[in-house]
Amino acid sequence: MMNHSVLIISFNQESYIENTIKSVITQDPKPLEIIIGDDCSTDNTWEIIRKYQNQFPTIIKCYRNVKNLGNIKNFNKIKKMPQGDIISCLGGDDYLKPNMLYNINLALEKHSLKKSDSYIIITNTSMLLPSHKEIVFDNYKYRNYLKKDLIKEKLRFGISIRDIGLSNKLFMNLSDLVEDYGISADLLFSIEPFIVSNYFFFIPEISSVYRTSIGMVSKTNEQLFYSSRLKVLDHLKNTYKDIWDRKDLNYIKFLKAKSEYFLDKNSKKLLNYIFNLIKNCRNFSSNHSFEKEAILLVKQIFKNLKKRI
């Protein structure tokens, strides 16, 4: 049986961290370890973590930064610690669905995977809206795709694995999050596994739930987010240029045009945003559609018109 390591980063999430820890510690089988990096929380998050660490001292390993480092440095600090065969990552406000580690183990046994293999177990994931409505992200429909096509879907936000089910061999070969790139550095970290992985295995169950409008990314200033996104897009374009085709490069160009518009909402940037959106109308993922982006753009135009009235 494969052993699981679950990494959790937390900061001021006293309302959610208990549910996050419970969702992992109640799995059957229990994980080999739960590694928690708390980024110097100023609420009761750390006290809750320590309570569970006292109850499960052989499983829960918790570390508290003496000063706030930010989520990227905090994650990099615990990234090299896991000893398990399978690595999964959670935010302090996310949680695992019941039986998830068991379902992953079934998939591993079915495919006779070895501890030395580099692979991703791709599950479905879920987003929990503030209204408590749960939206399922269907990754299972891509189960027959080739690696090159999976990379294309990942670039287009068509696959969302939330860093669940990565083999130790794969995880340890991933680069650290680039601290100079800011909050969007995790976009690189989410795409890189698809580029370096040798095998992909799909299971139809939902593994993890991501709460929207709560985490650090949701609270980040729009200017900081999109300036960070531009740095990441340039990195993707230049570092992995050998794997992108013309359609991929056009999509990256669209993402850059969108980011540039949100950084400086002038007419010239808006026209460039519209032009690149239309140019890519058939270049989106079914899980992240052209229609969705078009609606976002229309909302932005009306929002700007209201400001001028």
Side-chain angles (χ1 to χ4, degrees):
M1 183 177 69
M2 297 286 194
N3 292 317
H4 293 261
S5 294
V6 179
L7 275 60
I8 300 172
I9 57 170
S10 62
F11 174 67
N12 284 358
Q13 290 159 321
E14 62 180 2
S15 299
Y16 307 103
I17 190 64
E18 185 165 22
N19 185 52
T20 301
I21 296 173
K22 277 185 175 180
S23 75
V24 183
I25 201 67
T26 56
Q27 293 284 318
D28 184 14
K30 279 186 168 47
L32 172 70
E33 57 187 359
I34 304 173
I35 301 172
I36 307 175
D38 182 69
D39 200 16
C40 195
S41 292
T42 56
D43 60 5
N44 291 320
T45 299
W46 179 245
E47 285 70 25
I48 296 170
I49 293 170
R50 288 287 293 145
K51 179 184 76 172
Y52 279 91
Q53 197 273 333
N54 288 333
Q55 292 180 29
F56 303 95
T58 62
I59 297 178
I60 297 179
K61 305 169 184 177
C62 53
Y63 307 88
R64 190 186 194 197
N65 299 328
V66 295
K67 64 178 182 178
N68 185 265
L69 300 179
N71 68 322
I72 294 174
K73 290 184 179 180
N74 187 30
F75 178 77
N76 284 341
K77 188 175 178 181
I78 64 172
K79 177 178 172 287
K80 297 298 182 183
M81 294 182 181
Q83 301 297 313
D85 306 310
I86 311 295
I87 317 298
S88 297
C89 306
L90 291 172
D93 50 2
D94 305 332
Y95 59 93
L96 289 183
K97 288 283 193 176
N99 302 316
M100 200 55 241
L101 300 189
Y102 174 76
N103 290 332
I104 290 176
N105 278 355
L106 283 182
L108 295 173
E109 291 174 8
K110 177 181 178 181
H111 296 287
S112 301
L113 292 171
K114 301 175 183 177
K115 295 182 180 181
S116 58
D117 289 333
S118 179
Y119 56 84
I120 307 174
I121 299 292
I122 299 179
T123 71
N124 291 336
T125 58
S126 174
M127 293 188 299
L128 185 65
L129 304 181
S131 63
H132 301 293
K133 180 181 179 181
E134 193 170 325
I135 300 176
V136 176
F137 210 97
D138 182 10
N139 297 311
Y140 190 66
K141 64 183 177 183
Y142 299 118
R143 61 192 178 278
N144 295 320
Y145 276 38
L146 299 175
K147 175 176 177 174
K148 64 182 182 65
D149 298 316
L150 292 174
I151 295 172
K152 289 177 180 295
E153 287 295 331
K154 193 70 188 79
L155 174 67
R156 291 161 175 77
F157 307 102
I159 297 178
S160 175
I161 63 170
R162 310 300 310 177
D163 301 323
I164 301 293
L166 308 180
S167 72
N168 187 291
K169 175 71 175 296
L170 172 64
F171 191 82
M172 291 303 173
N173 286 331
L174 296 178
S175 305
D176 286 353
L177 295 177
V178 184
E179 296 174 1
D180 293 341
Y181 286 0
I183 195 69
S184 288
D186 61 351
L187 176 59
L188 288 178
F189 192 81
S190 70
I191 291 178
E192 188 183 2
F194 285 77
I195 295 173
V196 302
S197 179
N198 293 328
Y199 307 104
F200 302 86
F201 302 99
F202 290 76
I203 56 178
E205 288 80 14
I206 298 171
S207 62
S208 64
V209 179
Y210 168 74
R211 298 178 189 269
T212 64
S213 305
I214 292 176
M216 292 295 294
V217 174
S218 301
K219 297 177 181 178
T220 299
N221 178 279
E222 189 176 82
Q223 294 283 309
L224 291 176
F225 177 81
Y226 283 106
S227 61
S228 171
R229 174 62 62 85
L230 283 174
K231 294 177 183 177
V232 169
L233 291 172
D234 284 336
H235 182 105
L236 280 172
K237 179 181 176 181
N238 297 324
T239 304
Y240 303 116
K241 57 186 177 182
D242 293 337
I243 69 173
W244 307 129
D245 61 20
R246 179 179 57 83
K247 286 187 175 181
D248 299 328
L249 293 174
N250 281 338
Y251 190 79
I252 292 174
K253 191 174 181 180
F254 156 71
L255 292 176
K256 290 189 68 173
K258 176 181 176 180
S259 299
E260 289 166 352
Y261 167 72
F262 276 95
L263 284 172
D264 183 10
K265 297 178 181 178
N266 60 51
S267 298
K268 183 178 179 180
K269 298 287 177 64
L270 176 59
L271 288 175
N272 190 44
Y273 179 13
I274 294 172
F275 171 77
N276 279 282
L277 175 62
I278 295 172
K279 185 178 179 181
N280 283 274
C281 65
R282 296 184 178 180
N283 196 19
F284 283 79
S285 166
S286 60
N287 273 345
H288 190 83
S289 66
F290 167 77
E291 288 77 13
K292 180 179 179 180
E293 283 290 342
I295 290 170
L296 173 64
L297 175 56
V298 171
K299 285 181 177 179
Q300 279 299 314
I301 292 173
F302 277 105
K303 186 176 180 180
N304 290 343
L305 287 174
K306 284 184 179 179
K307 287 182 179 179
R308 294 178 182 180
I309 296 175

